[in-house]
Amino acid sequence: MINNAGIVERISLEQLDFDSIRRQFEVNALGPLRLTHALLPHLHRGSKIILMTSRMASIDDNTSGGSYGYRMSKVALSMAGKSLSIDLKPQGIAVAILHPGLVQTRMTAFTDSGITPAQSVTGLLARIDQLNLDHTGTFWHANGQILPW
Ligand SMILES: NC(=O)c1ccc[n+]([C@@H]2O[C@H](COP(=O)([O-])OP(=O)(O)OC[C@H]3O[C@@H](n4cnc5c(N)ncnc54)[C@H](OP(=O)(O)O)[C@@H]3O)[C@@H](O)[C@H]2O)c1
């Protein structure tokens, strides 16, 4: 099960918009948890749950500030993923918290500095194949690097 949907609304400290922050929490954090919970009866031993987070959710890696709603909501998603990984391990269901890389999509205005969706998906699929109960709950870059929380 791949929870991929997400939104970004860039918010600076000077222009804090709490409705926008709340909206990003709804879509980026609560949505995936809600959907995962709803679909749990259909998952079984050997199933895998993927949460698409972002490197921008890394507290250690935050060197540029800003993006309050996006960063905060994706950190909340990571925490949900960690708890899911612990709660679902006895049922044999593994969870990965994945960063797709900087990817040329609508979200990034198809930035020239990004990788293509095909390149990103190749890495993501490798991580999903690699995922097992021994490292459930890991925060990975699509390229295989383990990211700091
Ligand atoms: N692109 C990057 O560099 C990058 C980097 C880090 C993390 N990510 C994460 O990767 C995931 C995919 O992002 P992307 O780059 O593909 O973004 P995107 O081009 O903006 O696409 C976002 C997708 O999410 C769907 N979506 C948004 N809100 C939704 C909602 N409320 N209900 C159902 N679907 C919804 C959109 O559906 P519609 O088309 O119907 O609007 C669209 O298919 C996101 O979780 C994002 O945070 C992306």
Side-chain angles (χ1 to χ4, degrees):
M1 175 190 180
I2 301 177
N3 289 278
N4 182 60
I7 56 172
V8 63
E9 299 178 11
R10 298 186 198 285
I11 300 174
S12 67
L13 186 57
E14 294 72 31
Q15 292 176 321
L16 272 189
D17 175 342
F18 289 97
D19 288 335
S20 168
I21 294 175
R22 194 172 293 111
R23 202 159 43 239
Q24 291 179 83
F25 264 95
E26 278 289 345
V27 176
N28 295 343
L30 300 188
L33 183 59
R34 191 177 279 134
L35 193 59
T36 300
H37 184 251
L39 293 183
L40 267 184
H42 301 284
L43 302 183
H44 50 78
R45 186 162 294 276
S47 293
K48 299 179 182 185
I49 296 171
I50 307 306
L51 302 179
M52 205 62 69
T53 184
S54 168
R55 187 174 209 156
M56 288 180 73
S58 170
I59 293 173
D60 275 356
D61 193 59
N62 183 355
T63 54
S64 53
S67 295
Y68 286 86
Y70 190 67
R71 288 190 190 279
M72 292 167 68
S73 61
K74 290 291 194 180
V75 169
L77 176 64
S78 295
M79 186 56 89
K82 185 70 186 184
S83 281
L84 284 169
S85 73
I86 294 165
D87 292 340
L88 297 176
K89 192 170 184 178
Q91 297 174 42
I93 299 172
V95 179
I97 300 147
L98 299 184
H99 167 61
L102 179 64
V103 191
Q104 294 166 347
T105 64
R106 192 179 59 194
M107 181 173 280
T108 60
F110 304 96
T111 174
D112 285 342
S113 35
I115 57 175
T116 65
Q119 289 170 318
S120 173
V121 167
T122 298
L124 291 169
L125 290 177
R127 303 290 76 74
I128 294 170
D129 283 345
Q130 188 184 1
L131 174 63
N132 62 40
L133 291 175
D134 291 336
H135 45 231
T136 182
T138 301
F139 181 14
W140 264 313
H141 192 300
N143 68 12
Q145 183 188 357
I146 292 179
L147 293 171
W149 295 114

